[in-house]
Amino acid sequence: MRKVILIAFYFNQVNEIASKRLRALAKYLPEFGWEPIIIVPDLGFIPKENADLDCRIIYTEYEDMFSHFSNKFKGKSKNSKEIRSDDLNESEDDKLKDSTSYSNPIASKAISLAGEVFAYPDGMKYWHESAFEAASRIIEEEEIEAIISSSWPITCHTIAKDLKDKYDLFWVADLRDLWNMNPYVSHTFIREYFERRLELKTFENTDVLTTTTDLAADTLATMHPTSRIVPILSGYDEDDLSYLEELMLKEDSDILNDSHDKLKFIYAGSLYGGKRDPSNLFKAIRQLEDENKLDSSKLSIEFYGDSTNLKEIAEKYGLLDILDIGGKISHEDVLKKQLESDVLLLISWDNEKEKMFIPGKIYEYFALKKPVLSIGHKEGSLKDLIEETKVGYHVSDLESTKEVVLRLYTEFLENGRIEFNSDININDYSMGNMAKKFADLLNSLN
């Protein structure tokens, strides 16, 4: 079997969407003739939950930016593994601000500017040395034919670039999130200049750039017009599908024959502090009931995971009695709840910046074969995918939300269920298919 090194900062964070794509690569690449050797940082506080993976994982020493500088002052060993659990979730500017008690705006600005300098290109850059050394040893001792690096962080790509320069291996750089073209990232004009120059320099010798949507690929091409750029969607994990099939095959299961008198909507996941806003759904139901077009007592809306502002929104529209907040439950229980529902909710941020992104949850919905009601920005990759696959509806304003809710409600009253009318081949949206596309790229090195 041919061998490829996968450089992945996010890997053991099993509940993070960033890790799911990379863990799936590790799991399914061997089915297509490639053995991945995974280079990851040893973050200490994150459990190594890899019982489901049959691959080699090389854990390398990790030092975050703050430990690096504090160790210099304290005289500690350079290879300290100290890391704060929130370092993975905060911006570098936020971490610098939190590290001091300054309230003076001038001091805060100075700290922010310092972050622009010291966290360039990201706060994980001190992982570079140990990861590069570990990967180099493997390349020199074994017959390695290719490298895959995946960002964020950008340090994964700078490691891969140096390996490419030294060993001239085939290199696929996977940008789950774009670098300078990322709409959510902004820097000072000085750092933007150097950051853009670094991206051009880093990717000048890459063999393939990959992204997660067609729109992201088109956007990336404006900066790298001569590069080979291939969009590779993520997908659902086939192991989840196997679990669903087992549930449905159980003779004592009530799922397939579940009869209920309420139209069940379900959402499981984060609301990102209110950026993912279900208000239009509640407002639509309120107005439809006030117009005597539906009876809200025949509806149920279940949320699992995040509950940001949900009670306040439901109370505002007098719909607390149809809201069920279930809290955090296991992924297996989420799948079961989704099977028992009639409509799967997909809520995304109604913002222009969302146009090029597709939430990973949609692929899981494909496997469930349940109608989808997506609420988000009026246009973009998600809307295009839903319309192309005919798995449900994408709405972006109150009137379209009212129209779809009433359509679903009427169908449920008439038939006791909502039909899934899509004829998609769900295998096209599996993680295995995603891994095959990466394998096809690797095979092109011949």
Side-chain angles (χ1 to χ4, degrees):
M1 188 173 291
R2 305 168 78 178
K3 296 180 181 180
V4 56
I5 284 180
L6 172 59
I7 301 172
F9 187 91
Y10 283 94
F11 193 80
N12 286 316
Q13 300 90 324
V14 294
N15 292 320
E16 295 278 352
I17 191 66
S19 293
K20 293 183 183 298
R21 181 174 173 95
L22 304 182
R23 293 175 69 84
L25 264 181
K27 183 189 296 187
Y28 295 111
L29 269 178
E31 294 183 8
F32 306 103
W34 286 89
E35 176 191 342
I37 301 172
I38 324 300
I39 307 294
V40 300
D42 187 349
L43 299 178
F45 64 90
I46 296 179
K48 300 177 178 64
E49 300 177 10
N50 297 311
D52 61 325
L53 300 178
D54 184 18
C55 61
R56 291 166 59 190
I57 303 173
I58 310 299
Y59 292 97
T60 60
E61 293 183 331
Y62 178 77
E63 182 179 45
D64 69 79
M65 184 176 67
F66 296 94
S67 294
H68 177 82
F69 286 106
S70 64
N71 289 343
K72 284 184 178 297
F73 288 115
K74 295 177 183 177
K76 288 186 178 180
S77 166
K78 178 181 178 182
N79 292 320
S80 168
K81 296 182 186 177
E82 293 180 17
I83 184 172
R84 297 184 332 201
S85 62
D86 59 351
D87 278 343
L88 301 181
N89 300 314
E90 290 186 283
S91 72
E92 299 304 332
D93 286 355
D94 289 339
K95 287 185 280 186
L96 279 167
K97 290 171 187 174
D98 290 344
S99 69
T100 123
S101 60
Y102 289 131
S103 59
N104 186 305
I106 297 177
S108 296
K109 182 65 175 177
I111 293 168
S112 179
L113 290 173
E116 291 285 272
V117 175
F118 294 115
Y120 169 77
D122 56 56
M124 288 75 168
K125 62 184 179 181
Y126 297 106
W127 177 49
H128 185 291
E129 182 178 347
S130 64
F132 177 80
E133 289 177 354
S136 295
R137 284 195 298 272
I138 294 168
I139 291 170
E140 291 171 4
E141 293 172 1
E142 304 182 38
E143 191 173 344
I144 307 297
E145 297 187 53
I147 306 164
I148 299 175
S149 58
S150 187
S151 59
W152 203 77
I154 296 306
T155 291
C156 294
H157 296 313
T158 62
I159 295 166
K161 177 196 180 301
D162 288 348
L163 292 170
K164 169 75 172 182
D165 291 345
K166 184 175 182 180
Y167 299 104
D168 194 26
L169 297 176
F170 188 85
W171 174 27
V172 178
D174 180 42
L175 287 91
R176 303 187 312 272
D177 294 310
L178 301 188
W179 187 346
N180 282 279
M181 309 300 288
N182 190 328
Y184 290 107
V185 176
S186 62
H187 295 294
T188 63
F189 75 93
I190 296 175
R191 176 157 169 181
E192 283 180 356
Y193 169 79
F194 285 101
E195 197 95 27
R196 183 179 179 85
R197 190 173 70 169
L198 180 62
E199 177 173 344
L200 292 170
K201 182 69 175 176
T202 299
F203 293 144
E204 65 181 355
N205 291 322
T206 189
D207 294 282
V208 187
L209 297 172
T210 61
T211 65
T212 58
T213 69
D214 290 333
L215 185 54
D218 292 342
T219 302
L220 187 61
T222 63
M223 186 170 180
H224 303 279
T226 63
S227 296
R228 182 185 179 190
I229 302 174
V230 179
I232 299 180
L233 300 181
S234 290
Y236 68 87
D237 194 323
E238 289 90 324
D239 286 345
D240 288 344
L241 184 58
S242 298
Y243 174 75
L244 293 173
E245 290 172 345
E246 290 176 8
L247 280 179
M248 292 186 287
L249 286 174
K250 287 182 179 179
E251 293 183 2
D252 60 344
S253 174
D254 295 327
I255 294 176
L256 289 178
N257 300 312
D258 178 35
S259 61
H260 46 270
D261 57 2
K262 291 188 178 184
L263 174 60
K264 293 183 180 180
F265 296 84
I266 185 172
Y267 178 84
S270 175
L271 295 173
Y272 287 93
K275 286 184 177 180
R276 293 179 175 177
D277 185 3
S279 293
N280 268 351
L281 176 60
F282 287 91
K283 189 174 183 179
I285 294 169
R286 176 74 276 146
Q287 289 192 6
L288 287 169
E289 184 162 45
D290 291 344
E291 295 166 5
N292 297 316
K293 294 179 179 178
L294 62 68
D295 178 359
S296 65
S297 67
K298 297 186 180 297
L299 303 177
S300 172
I301 306 178
E302 302 177 14
F303 282 82
Y304 296 93
D306 195 347
S307 61
T308 304
N309 298 330
L310 287 176
K311 286 186 177 179
E312 292 81 359
I313 294 170
E315 188 172 28
K316 177 180 179 180
Y317 297 108
L319 295 172
L320 268 175
D321 54 336
I322 73 170
L323 175 65
D324 183 2
I325 299 176
K328 292 184 178 180
I329 59 177
S330 70
H331 184 57
E332 289 78 10
D333 286 338
V334 165
L335 292 173
K336 184 175 180 181
K337 291 288 185 182
Q338 289 171 334
L339 269 181
E340 296 170 347
S341 71
D342 299 294
V343 180
L344 301 172
L345 290 175
L346 187 63
I347 303 171
S348 52
W349 191 17
D350 185 8
N351 189 289
E352 180 80 10
K353 294 179 178 181
E354 287 286 290
K355 287 176 60 175
M356 72 173 70
F357 302 111
I358 297 177
K361 179 66 70 174
I362 188 66
Y363 304 113
E364 183 177 280
Y365 286 2
F366 289 171
L368 287 156
K369 293 187 176 181
K370 292 276 186 176
V372 175
L373 173 54
S374 171
I375 302 172
H377 191 61
K378 62 183 178 180
E379 58 185 13
S381 298
L382 176 60
K383 177 178 182 289
D384 293 344
L385 180 63
I386 289 174
E387 292 182 349
E388 175 188 339
T389 57
K390 298 180 175 62
V391 297
Y393 308 92
H394 181 82
V395 297
S396 58
D397 56 40
L398 178 59
E399 288 308 312
S400 59
T401 305
K402 287 176 64 176
E403 179 183 341
V404 171
V405 169
L406 183 57
R407 185 181 305 173
L408 294 168
Y409 175 79
T410 302
E411 181 179 349
F412 181 78
L413 287 187
E414 292 176 352
N415 305 321
R417 58 178 296 178
I418 306 295
E419 291 291 336
F420 180 73
N421 294 317
S422 174
D423 59 357
I424 65 169
N425 179 0
I426 62 170
N427 291 329
D428 291 342
Y429 300 96
S430 69
M431 287 293 196
N433 187 58
M434 179 269 292
K436 180 181 182 303
K437 291 181 178 180
F438 274 97
D440 289 342
L441 291 179
L442 297 176
N443 291 334
S444 71
L445 67 88
N446 290 333

